[in-house]
Amino acid sequence: MTRLTRITVWVVSIVLVSSFAFGDDLPNPLDTQYDGISLWGHISSDAQQIRRVMGVAICAYIPSGMGLSRSSERIILQNVTARETLDRMVQEWPDFTWFEGPGNIVVVMPADLVDDPDFFLNQPMPATLYEGKAVSVARSFEQHIPRVIHPESGLRNISMGPGLRIRNDRKNYQRHINELDLALHVDEGTLLEHMNAVFAEIGDHLAWRIFGEQLTLLDNDIVGYMVTSDLARAREAARPLKSDDLEVIRLYEQAVETAPYPSLRRLIALELADYHRTRQPLGSESLQIAERIYLDVQESGDFQLEAQLEEIPLHLAEVYRRGADYDRARELLESLMVLDATDRHIERRAQHAAGRLLALEREVRGDEEGVAYVEQAYAGNPLMERQLAGYAAGMERRRQTQLAAAALRDDITAYILDIRTEWIRLTQDMDPEKVRALHELCFGEQARQWVYATHRGEMTEPYLTEAEWAAMEPEVAAFVHDYGPEGMLLAQELIVEAHNEEYDRESTVSPIFYSPPIPQQ
């Protein structure tokens, strides 16, 4: 075998999974058609793109100096399968080939190494019993990897790569691999077959990559697959509608049927259950579908969905509540109210359960009676005491806000009454023509538009010029100053500011424009 200065290998194992109820085989992801994909111009990037977008398990061996950027522009393929995309990729790179390898993986490598007995992935391996901690078994493969970058240093560690994430829970795989005990017998075969069998046992879509001298374990980027799918786009398009969208549900169900990995399938099913659970209008069929999915996924115990599994009981309780099955909802929420200082996720879930139980009793019994019942039934429970304290604090804030709003309305009402009183006093002996002119100046449409435009920040010029002020009689000028557009806006701003300072809150009160009646002569 020719010594290489750089080696890159990706392997991802495929295990076809169940149908909607997690029972029947899924179609081969190589034959699933996708809207489109771009080939980036570097074969390692192209292989990674196919793996992420199309969910295909790829082992890519890229020697140094091969498969670098080509001169042609980026290739965009539409309405293609992964098989067709791989065919097009190797057309661009005639030195490479691809084939379906052992364990349902796709292998991409230089064509002249496929049958090379000296190629390290082709080296024969005896029948082996792999037993012990998964992380130790994984490290045992390092001895077979050519140490071509730093021959003087040993293979030191397995690191968790950046693709290793399901949503934002990055520690599940690390904890799983550290804790999992293996006892797996693999028959005589090649190194590739042995590694694929072991990593398939560790995780159904666990990938491994050899880069130089370091073995890295990778997840097959569930999030990347979902973000680039039709499902994500349909969901985002339907969300603003807040309506019963049967087309979105159909796309969810189709995505569940075609997802290439068990964990991805379950994750999409959970998204479908959440969609049904929050659906408007809500029907009994949606609740039944949501409940069945939650229970099926919960029963699977999929460690890769650990964060989601912790939330499923809360979702089930919500399903029961929305279906008016209050006894089941109450029983489930009570079972979750367990303090566990060693696990912050369980602690947080318990706090959420207490909050939802309080909300349930308020819904069933009414606010006051519900709170009184909870205080008595769960006396001494620290989780519920915290919820009750938060509820009481929230109610006090609401009361203070209502008081502030009432006081604000009262003060503005009193100011408007002042306008009316002063207007009647000023105009009772005034010539009718002057009254109408003054009314138009202070309370006409132009004055109204100026007040609202100034409040919105769209007007910065004063309502009257210095010359207009100078032309007024002193008593009239005083009234316009205090109760005209500028005075009306300023007075209300001062009233609102005083209440903001008193209750330490921000107000979004829009100004009130008052137009007093013209006195009848």
Side-chain angles (χ1 to χ4, degrees):
M1 173 179 166
T2 304
R3 289 184 63 83
L4 302 172
T5 59
R6 185 173 179 178
I7 297 175
T8 302
V9 176
W10 286 300
V11 175
V12 185
S13 58
I14 289 183
V15 179
L16 296 181
V17 297
S18 57
S19 68
F20 189 77
F22 311 118
D24 302 324
D25 285 343
L26 289 171
N28 189 328
L30 281 172
D31 300 316
T32 300
Q33 190 173 78
Y34 294 83
D35 279 356
I37 186 172
S38 297
L39 300 184
W40 293 5
H42 188 298
I43 196 165
S44 63
S45 299
D46 291 346
Q48 185 177 14
Q49 179 79 337
I50 295 171
R51 179 174 72 87
R52 287 181 170 176
V53 173
M54 296 181 160
V56 175
I58 294 182
C59 163
Y61 174 75
I62 316 294
S64 177
M66 297 185 66
L68 300 178
S69 298
R70 55 179 173 267
S71 58
S72 60
E73 296 180 356
R74 176 180 297 186
I75 296 174
I76 299 177
L77 304 177
Q78 294 180 327
N79 299 319
V80 292
T81 64
R83 192 182 303 276
E84 293 168 336
T85 305
L86 287 162
D87 286 341
R88 180 59 186 273
M89 184 181 72
V90 295
Q91 285 180 15
E92 294 295 317
W93 306 105
D95 291 337
F96 286 83
T97 189
W98 78 272
F99 56 90
E100 294 183 66
N104 292 322
I105 65 170
V106 166
V107 180
V108 177
M109 65 167 62
D112 60 355
L113 291 180
V114 172
D115 298 318
D116 185 348
D118 293 328
F119 177 46
F120 76 95
L121 287 176
N122 290 336
Q123 64 181 280
M125 296 286 289
T128 305
L129 175 63
Y130 294 98
E131 57 182 345
K133 293 297 182 183
V135 66
S136 299
V137 172
R139 286 199 175 104
S140 70
F141 290 116
E142 295 176 333
Q143 61 185 304
H144 303 288
I145 301 170
R147 301 174 181 177
V148 296
I149 293 183
H150 302 292
E152 70 281 1
S153 63
L155 293 171
R156 293 180 295 274
N157 66 301
I158 292 178
S159 66
M160 313 314 291
L164 183 56
R165 59 174 66 98
I166 298 178
R167 297 196 171 169
N168 289 318
D169 196 354
R170 303 185 181 189
K171 295 183 178 180
N172 290 350
Y173 252 124
Q174 181 73 67
R175 182 167 61 249
H176 171 73
I177 293 171
N178 287 339
E179 296 176 356
L180 178 65
D181 289 310
L182 288 182
L184 177 67
H185 181 272
V186 182
D187 292 334
E188 180 179 345
T190 64
L191 175 61
L192 178 61
E193 291 170 326
H194 277 233
M195 293 183 74
N196 185 56
V198 167
F199 288 114
E201 183 74 9
I202 293 176
D204 62 330
H205 59 275
L206 183 66
W208 54 268
R209 179 184 69 187
I210 300 171
F211 184 81
E213 62 173 25
Q214 189 175 39
L215 178 62
T216 302
L217 303 185
L218 301 167
D219 174 72
N220 201 38
D221 203 354
I222 279 180
V223 175
Y225 175 88
M226 288 198 68
V227 167
T228 56
S229 69
D230 289 339
L231 172 62
R233 290 192 291 272
R235 185 175 64 247
E236 290 302 314
R239 182 172 296 166
L241 302 179
K242 300 183 183 299
S243 62
D244 184 3
D245 193 335
L246 296 178
E247 176 64 15
V248 174
I249 291 176
R250 185 191 68 78
L251 288 172
Y252 268 114
E253 293 172 345
Q254 182 181 13
V256 171
E257 293 173 358
T258 58
Y261 304 109
S263 290
L264 175 57
R265 188 162 204 223
R266 295 182 184 115
L267 185 61
I268 298 175
L270 287 176
E271 294 277 353
L272 174 59
D274 290 343
Y275 195 87
H276 276 292
R277 175 172 57 86
T278 58
R279 201 171 168 200
Q280 297 293 345
L282 181 70
S284 60
E285 182 181 0
S286 283
L287 289 177
Q288 291 171 4
I289 292 173
E291 179 184 11
R292 177 162 55 87
I293 293 174
Y294 288 138
L295 291 174
D296 285 344
V297 175
Q298 185 171 249
E299 185 178 351
S300 75
D302 190 340
F303 79 91
Q304 296 160 83
L305 299 178
E306 183 176 340
Q308 289 76 16
L309 288 174
E310 291 173 355
E311 298 296 320
I312 283 178
L314 290 174
H315 297 331
L316 276 170
E318 179 68 8
V319 167
Y320 299 146
R321 184 194 68 79
R322 296 198 74 190
D325 192 345
Y326 298 120
D327 289 338
R328 291 180 73 185
R330 185 181 294 110
E331 181 180 358
L332 182 52
L333 291 170
E334 286 177 343
S335 71
L336 299 177
M337 289 170 54
V338 178
L339 288 169
D340 186 351
T342 63
D343 192 322
R344 62 183 180 87
H345 297 292
I346 299 300
E347 183 89 13
R348 182 177 59 188
R349 185 180 69 181
Q351 194 65 63
H352 287 318
R356 296 190 185 189
L357 185 55
L358 174 59
L360 183 145
E361 298 299 349
R362 289 172 51 214
E363 177 181 326
V364 173
R365 305 169 189 273
D367 285 337
E368 292 186 8
E369 187 177 341
V371 171
Y373 171 80
V374 167
E375 288 175 337
Q376 181 178 359
Y378 302 96
N381 184 302
L383 290 168
M384 192 57 78
E385 287 178 349
R386 190 182 310 170
Q387 289 296 324
L388 287 168
Y391 174 76
M395 292 300 293
E396 178 60 22
R397 286 194 300 271
R398 181 180 177 185
R399 189 181 72 84
Q400 293 290 348
T401 299
Q402 291 173 340
L403 288 174
L408 183 62
R409 287 194 301 270
D410 289 345
D411 285 353
I412 291 180
T413 300
Y415 174 72
I416 290 175
L417 182 60
D418 286 345
I419 296 178
R420 181 184 180 91
T421 301
E422 289 301 310
W423 171 254
I424 293 174
R425 183 192 63 79
L426 177 66
T427 60
Q428 61 183 350
D429 297 324
M430 188 178 289
D431 180 77
E433 289 298 325
K434 286 186 177 181
V435 170
R436 284 191 284 272
L438 182 58
H439 191 279
E440 180 64 26
L441 175 68
C442 291
F443 311 115
E445 183 60 27
Q446 184 177 350
R448 179 190 298 272
Q449 294 297 331
W450 183 91
V451 166
Y452 289 116
T454 303
H455 176 73
R456 293 192 301 266
E458 300 170 359
M459 175 68 71
T460 58
E461 296 295 324
Y463 182 63
L464 297 175
T465 66
E466 292 185 5
E468 289 172 321
W469 281 109
M472 293 183 192
E473 299 175 4
E475 188 177 17
V476 172
F479 176 86
V480 175
H481 179 273
D482 293 338
Y483 303 111
E486 292 176 332
M488 191 184 302
L489 183 60
L490 177 60
Q492 293 187 58
E493 288 177 349
L494 292 175
I495 292 172
V496 170
E497 184 179 344
H499 285 280
N500 287 347
E501 183 177 343
E502 179 180 354
Y503 294 105
D504 191 26
R505 67 182 182 87
E506 292 187 0
S507 174
T508 56
V509 178
S510 296
I512 296 174
F513 186 85
Y514 175 68
S515 177
I518 299 176
Q520 298 295 324
Q521 299 296 327

